[in-house]
């Protein structure tokens, strides 16, 4: 019998990050000086940090 691959057996869950103001945090890629930077931005209060865990 054929078996399922290892990746198909693992559960896949996306994690939602919530700001202290109650808005959802989304990752955005910004190009500055020829380099791409990832930034996390809150939809509600427009606060910008380097990564979602910095909002705590």
């Amino acid at each position: 019998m054929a078996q399922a691959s290892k990746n198909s057996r693992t559960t896949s869950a996306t994690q939602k990050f919530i700001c202290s103001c109650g808005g959802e945090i989304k990752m955005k890629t910004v190009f500055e000086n020829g380099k791409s930077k990832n930034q996390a931005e809150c939809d509600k209060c427009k606060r910008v940090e380097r990564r979602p865990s910095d909002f705590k």
Side-chain angles (χ1 to χ4, degrees), residues 3-24:
Q3 293 186 357
S5 69
K6 181 179 78 171
N7 291 335
S8 69
R9 291 192 304 255
T10 60
T11 58
S12 176
T14 56
Q15 186 175 6
K16 283 193 173 182
F17 292 100
I18 305 296
C19 183
S20 58
C21 71
E24 186 178 347

Side-chain angles (χ1 to χ4, degrees), residues 21-40:
C21 71
E24 186 178 347
I25 299 170
K26 294 192 177 177
M27 292 299 292
K28 296 185 179 185
T29 304
V30 179
F31 287 96
E32 288 182 1
N33 300 329
K35 296 181 182 178
S36 64
K37 287 185 172 183
N38 291 325
Q39 292 181 338

